[in-house]
Amino acid sequence: MAETKFGATDSYTAQVHKSQDSRSTTSPSVPPALDWLLPGALKSYKEIGDPSNTAQVNPYIYTITLAKLSEEKGAKIVYGSATKLNFKRDGKAIASVTYTHDGTTSDLSATDLVIAAGPWTSRLFPSIHLGAPRGHSVVVRPSRDLSPYVLFPKIEPPVDGSQSHILSLEIYLRPSDSLYNHDTVYASGPDDYSVPLPNNTDDVAVDLQRCEDVYTAIKSVSDEIYEGEVLVRQACYKPQIRPHEDDEEVGPIVGPAPGLDGVWIATGHDEWGIQNSAGTGLVVSEMVWEGEAKSANCASLDPKHFVKDAGPGEKTGFLQKIFGF
């Protein structure tokens, strides 16, 4: 079943609006199964999904499983950090990729290249400009098993002035899986731009205070989560085309690199990379193997809409500057 293979589970999903100042005010009704949501100071509750149309996956289990399934179908996974794209003499088609692993530099020949490096895409393809916001999150073992809900709370600042802005959280209840033999809760907070993108994932800096802020905000949402055990404090960077409102759709960038043969770009998914990963993989495979996307209209996602404008007559020199051919 999918629940075993991908760490997937069907879920209810809801948006809630809360205040941090009181637990005793009159609140809108919520489903009886959501008995772990503190009712006080709840200003609104809106269900946006149920198990008939909504599910979540554990990102780690999901990606590891996809990698294993790919290897079973004949794919070879080469571990390393890509550092340079090498093009044929005419400068219009990919020839190879230079990468490093354990201090060794190697070249991997290529006829087609898909750049799906998340926020690091701009390091390989500088004409795609991406922001790299950092997000912090915690994984908590709740004090008891909880019903499978995904909540998107907006929490108003307390009147004591200890916070000055509305805090938007994401809270995912995850049942036991191959990582944990008990329920866990993943909770994440707002992004920050205070630390630049490092060279690799091993160097991502975790601000423990920001993790603590996320955990503290949970106090106004659920006693069972707040009184649980924090298992993980972590941070990640996201490929962002530009800052946007929570309900605003921007990107992603999916399609052929302008002016180049055999180079495809799939990035700019922001915080929705896991959600859009399978669909992105499908349409990119169609572009590579069939010449165009068949399963979805990706015209608005074409990289030509997002590349830096080199100016009239400057295209060749611009690509030479980027790739060094």
Side-chain angles (χ1 to χ4, degrees):
M1 295 178 62
E3 287 79 1
T4 300
K5 183 173 290 186
F6 292 106
T9 183
D10 298 332
S11 300
Y12 289 92
T13 306
Q15 295 175 330
V16 298
H17 187 184
K18 289 182 66 68
S19 168
Q20 296 189 47
D21 289 317
S22 173
R23 298 187 177 200
S24 60
T25 59
T26 302
S27 299
S29 61
V30 298
L34 193 53
D35 58 354
W36 50 267
L37 175 66
L38 286 171
L42 181 62
K43 294 191 171 184
S44 66
Y45 174 90
K46 179 182 180 182
E47 188 170 286
I48 57 176
D50 60 57
S52 70
N53 56 29
T54 305
Q56 60 163 307
V57 297
N58 182 300
Y60 177 81
I61 298 175
Y62 173 69
T63 52
I64 292 298
T65 301
L66 285 179
K68 291 180 178 178
L69 292 174
S70 298
E71 289 181 310
E72 292 175 3
K73 294 294 184 179
K76 180 181 179 181
I77 299 176
V78 178
Y79 292 93
S81 298
T83 58
K84 184 182 178 183
L85 308 184
N86 306 304
F87 287 78
K88 294 181 179 180
R89 189 175 298 274
D90 62 5
K92 296 181 179 180
I94 189 68
S96 65
V97 177
T98 301
Y99 70 95
T100 61
H101 181 61
D102 289 340
T104 301
T105 300
S106 305
D107 286 337
L108 183 65
S109 60
T111 57
D112 291 274
L113 171 69
V114 178
I115 305 176
W120 285 273
T121 297
S122 299
R123 300 281 175 90
L124 282 174
F125 202 91
S127 58
I128 294 291
H129 286 240
L130 292 173
R134 182 181 59 164
H136 286 80
S137 59
V138 295
V139 177
V140 181
R141 179 178 184 174
S143 60
R144 65 174 176 88
D145 290 345
L146 307 178
S147 52
Y149 274 79
V150 175
L151 297 184
F152 299 99
K154 287 185 178 296
I155 305 173
E156 292 184 356
V159 295
D160 62 11
S162 57
Q163 294 180 8
S164 59
H165 58 278
I166 293 177
L167 181 62
S168 296
L169 295 180
E170 296 182 7
I171 298 177
Y172 294 76
L173 273 295
R174 295 173 177 168
S176 59
D177 50 38
S178 59
L179 289 179
Y180 299 102
N181 61 2
H182 52 75
D183 284 6
T184 57
V185 179
Y186 168 87
S188 63
D191 295 334
D192 72 89
Y193 298 83
S194 59
V195 179
L197 182 71
N199 290 328
N200 58 67
T201 56
D202 292 335
D203 296 329
V204 172
V206 178
D207 186 328
L208 296 181
Q209 182 56 56
R210 291 184 183 275
C211 291
E212 187 63 25
D213 291 343
V214 173
Y215 182 56
T216 300
I218 293 174
K219 186 175 182 179
S220 66
V221 177
S222 170
D223 285 336
E224 288 86 347
I225 302 176
Y226 184 71
E227 295 171 357
E229 175 189 3
V230 179
L231 303 175
V232 179
R233 295 173 174 86
Q234 58 193 1
C236 68
Y237 285 83
K238 308 165 190 177
Q240 186 181 79
I241 297 173
R242 62 172 173 80
H244 57 84
E245 299 298 328
D246 289 343
D247 57 353
E248 182 184 8
E249 296 182 4
V250 180
I253 304 171
V254 180
L260 298 172
D261 295 330
V263 179
W264 313 83
I265 298 172
T267 190
H269 295 78
D270 211 321
E271 69 267 41
W272 299 110
I274 291 295
Q275 181 197 44
N276 291 316
S277 60
T280 299
L282 175 61
V283 296
V284 170
S285 69
E286 293 171 343
M287 292 174 183
V288 173
W289 296 107
E290 302 179 53
E292 62 179 353
K294 302 291 184 64
S295 300
N297 183 349
C298 300
S300 64
L301 311 181
D302 194 308
K304 68 183 180 183
H305 302 307
F306 303 94
V307 297
K308 178 181 178 181
D309 186 5
E314 298 179 11
K315 185 175 183 180
T316 300
F318 180 61
L319 293 176
Q320 287 176 341
K321 181 178 180 182
I322 292 177
F323 300 117
F325 52 69

